[in-house]
Amino acid sequence: NAGVTQTPKFQVLKTGQSMTLQCAQDMNHNSMYWYRQDPGMGLRLIYYSASEGTTDKGEVPNGYNVSRLNKREFSLRLESAAPSQTSVYFCASRGPDGYQPQHFGDGTRLSIL
Amino acid sequence: TQLLEQSPQFLSIQEGENLTVYCNSSSVFSSLQWYRQEPGEGPVLLVTVVTGGEVKKLKRLTFQFGDARKDSSLHITAAQPGDTGLYLCAGAQKVMAAGNKLTFGGGTRVLVKP
């Protein structure tokens, strides 16, 4: 059972480099999300996509862009990485019903030097 | 921005002891979820509470949603080392809204020592 798959699992970048984090889900979910997780701060929403073709800003969107490529895939791009973007990034998806949980991938650990 | 405050941030107890984690907000939520996260993995849902005053039990875990739907608690009875992990509460403001965003608390790291 794949669920939500994130690639890569680890990445080290230099300041100013660009990178795209990939996420794919096989549960036919409409909604997808990107979060970052920093120590003591829980999960903060970066961007989300309620359905294919739509994206919206979350709590901390600055420095990021997203693409909902199709129903399965939702990518997160850092155009010019900064040390403040060092974090663990999680992708999640959710089914359509009212109280469905979000299903998370295992995360991408990103370090920016 | 709606905030969810979790307390304590860290809890270390001996096997067999009880513990309670609190999740508080000044905002009303339509539902609240509790997740548990293991190192190197994403959070996994434990329970969803919907009705004010609701109590749900999952084996040794008891979850309560406050009457005003602004706060929640997680109580673990006779904790075991397998309960070790990061516990996250997350509130949803709208039920059927597209996307249904969640607001996460800062997490409580629980360590149960054998």
Side-chain angles (χ1 to χ4, degrees):
Chain A
N1 296 336
V4 178
T5 302
Q6 290 184 237
T7 56
K9 293 188 183 304
F10 302 95
Q11 185 70 47
V12 178
L13 294 177
K14 294 181 179 179
T15 298
Q17 287 185 316
S18 61
M19 165 154 200
T20 300
L21 279 59
Q22 307 287 352
C23 175
Q25 53 92 9
D26 61 2
M27 295 172 281
N28 201 36
H29 287 166
N30 286 323
S31 302
M32 297 186 73
Y33 310 81
W34 275 106
Y35 294 89
R36 60 178 288 173
Q37 186 173 36
D38 302 297
M41 300 189 73
L43 290 158
R44 292 185 292 169
L45 183 65
I46 304 171
Y47 271 92
Y48 68 103
S49 171
S51 61
E52 185 179 353
T54 69
T55 61
D56 285 286
K57 294 179 180 179
E59 182 185 352
V60 288
N62 291 345
Y64 305 94
N65 285 301
V66 290
S67 296
R68 184 73 183 267
L69 304 170
N70 47 55
K71 192 170 186 179
R72 290 187 65 248
E73 298 172 287
F74 188 37
S75 63
L76 178 71
R77 183 162 178 83
L78 286 70
E79 289 291 352
S80 179
S84 61
Q85 294 177 305
T86 292
S87 188
V88 182
Y89 291 85
F90 286 97
C91 176
S93 70
R94 180 181 171 275
D97 296 334
Y99 302 116
Q100 289 293 314
Q102 293 191 6
H103 297 266
F104 288 84
D106 287 338
T108 294
R109 188 173 296 274
L110 184 61
S111 294
I112 298 158
L113 307 177
Chain B
T1 302
Q2 296 80 31
L3 293 176
L4 270 174
E5 307 256 351
Q6 276 188 248
S7 61
Q9 287 188 320
F10 179 71
L11 203 52
S12 178
I13 60 171
Q14 293 294 136
E15 182 176 1
E17 293 181 337
N18 301 332
L19 69 96
T20 302
V21 177
Y22 298 94
C23 180
N24 295 292
S25 176
S26 58
S27 300
V28 175
F29 293 99
S30 66
S31 64
L32 196 136
Q33 297 178 331
W34 284 91
Y35 291 79
R36 182 172 141 196
Q37 185 178 14
E38 305 277 359
E41 298 180 4
V44 176
L45 181 76
L46 293 173
V47 77
T48 301
V49 286
V50 176
T51 306
E54 181 177 4
V55 176
K56 279 192 174 178
K57 292 192 175 183
L58 190 67
K59 297 183 180 178
R60 294 175 294 98
L61 278 62
T62 301
F63 303 85
Q64 186 164 8
F65 202 11
D67 291 341
R69 291 186 287 129
K70 293 183 179 181
D71 56 86
S72 181
S73 63
L74 157 61
H75 183 78
I76 302 179
T77 303
Q80 298 176 0
D83 295 325
T84 293
L86 179 67
Y87 290 83
L88 296 158
C89 64
Q93 289 222 299
K94 296 180 181 179
V95 176
M96 295 303 293
N100 195 16
K101 293 183 290 183
L102 291 176
T103 299
F104 279 85
T108 296
R109 194 166 296 281
V110 172
L111 174 63
V112 183
K113 293 181 276 190

